Amino acid sequence: MSPSPPFSSLLTRLNRSARDWIASWWRIVRFALLIFSLLLTPSSYERSNREAIARQLVLASNANLLWFTVLAALISVVLIRIVVVTALSYGLSQYALEMVVRVLVLELIPLTAAAFVALRCTLPDGLEFAQQRVNRASKSAPDIATLQHDFLPRVLAGLFSVWLLAAVSCVMALVLAYITIYGFTPWALAGYTRVVGQIFNPAVATILLMKVFLFSLAVALIPMASSYDDGARRRRLDASHGLLDMVRLFSVILIVEVGSLMGNYY
């Protein structure tokens, strides 16, 4: 007995969706390998390409650093105050600093930095590139010169921006935590550094660095990979392009965050 038409059509749709899902992630992996190969190519660092890379690094840093630093400072002060007051009310003031460092530095700031760079830089850049390729009606992949001059600088800018925002904001959160808890006194510095050092043991520090590294890869590569392939395959650019990029990107970020939580607390 052959399957009923509704069930057969459901299987067909599931099969097509599975193939599209595998193909989309394979295109991202292929684009990542292509970018990594360009990083090892001497011609990628010629004068014109170096100028393009430097320009994108400066643009990404100037566009994000000030606003994100102010935002992170405000959120850090509010969260630190909430944690300290809550810990004092329950008689757990000795754990306040550890809670602040773990919540802010280990979890919230790297996640927020990746989301901020994605929404401010890489997702708009990927959408703009795809729109340009659709307008030019290009059906072939960009040549090596275009990849080196256009795609590679923006990928490196995305990587650099995530690391820069995460590093600056983590240091700032540690300083604000000290000032909020102990005030403007140098006498608590020894105890503060001892607690922070106990938190950042080799395993936790390695997990934090790996998380920021994977966040930066996802933020820098996924939007550019989609514009690299989708711009050539689509005759027009619809609203689903940016939405699909956002879903892929934040799915990877969520998986990395869950993995880091398991590594830190299990």
Side-chain angles (χ1 to χ4, degrees):
M1 179 182 297
S2 62
S4 60
F7 183 70
S8 177
S9 62
L10 176 62
L11 290 178
T12 302
R13 288 196 300 269
L14 290 176
N15 183 42
R16 186 183 304 114
S17 299
R19 286 185 298 175
D20 291 342
W21 183 83
I22 294 173
S24 65
W25 285 105
W26 166 245
R27 287 193 295 269
I28 293 173
V29 173
R30 185 183 61 185
F31 177 79
L33 295 175
L34 182 59
I35 290 296
F36 290 147
S37 67
L38 290 178
L39 289 174
L40 302 176
T41 303
S43 61
S44 299
Y45 303 100
E46 295 177 350
R47 182 174 181 179
S48 60
N49 293 330
R50 291 200 308 269
E51 293 176 352
I53 292 172
R55 182 171 59 253
Q56 291 301 322
L57 292 179
V58 172
L59 289 175
S61 301
N62 288 339
N64 294 317
L65 183 59
L66 177 61
W67 291 108
F68 184 78
T69 303
V70 173
L71 177 65
L74 293 175
I75 294 176
S76 298
V77 169
V78 172
L79 289 179
I80 291 168
R81 187 61 183 170
I82 291 173
V83 170
V84 170
V85 171
T86 304
L88 287 174
S89 64
Y90 286 98
L92 301 173
S93 58
Q94 67 272 23
Y95 301 110
L97 177 59
E98 182 175 355
M99 293 172 61
V100 165
V101 173
R102 288 188 178 276
V103 171
L104 275 178
V105 179
L106 294 183
E107 308 302 337
L108 286 183
I109 288 179
L111 182 63
T112 309
F116 194 86
V117 174
L119 294 175
R120 290 269 297 176
C121 287
T122 57
L123 285 172
D125 285 348
L127 191 61
E128 179 184 357
F129 268 30
Q131 184 65 63
Q132 291 175 358
R133 298 193 61 202
V134 170
N135 293 338
R136 291 196 300 264
S138 175
K139 295 184 179 180
S140 60
D143 55 15
I144 297 299
T146 302
L147 283 169
Q148 290 175 336
H149 191 268
D150 293 334
F151 283 86
L152 182 61
R154 285 169 172 80
V155 170
L156 293 178
L159 289 169
F160 178 76
S161 296
V162 174
W163 279 98
L164 177 65
L165 298 189
V168 172
S169 300
C170 286
V171 172
M172 181 190 62
L174 291 174
V175 173
L176 291 175
Y178 179 86
I179 295 174
T180 303
I181 296 174
Y182 300 108
F184 294 93
T185 174
W187 307 114
L189 190 59
Y192 175 79
T193 54
R194 183 174 63 253
V195 173
V196 173
Q198 290 174 350
I199 295 172
F200 283 96
N201 57 61
V204 172
T206 301
I207 291 174
L208 176 61
L209 293 176
M210 287 298 300
K211 178 167 68 172
V212 176
F213 176 69
L214 293 176
F215 279 172
S216 63
L217 284 181
V219 167
L221 290 174
I222 291 177
M224 290 294 105
S226 298
S227 65
Y228 173 76
D229 282 304
D230 290 355
R233 294 185 298 107
R234 294 170 182 257
R235 292 184 178 178
R236 64 181 180 88
L237 193 67
D238 51 28
S240 64
H241 178 92
L243 182 60
L244 288 175
D245 287 348
M246 189 178 298
V247 170
R248 294 189 191 108
L249 176 58
F250 286 101
S251 297
V252 173
I253 289 177
L254 179 61
I255 292 172
V256 174
E257 180 64 26
V258 171
S260 71
L261 290 173
M262 294 177 63
N264 284 329
Y265 302 108
Y266 284 91

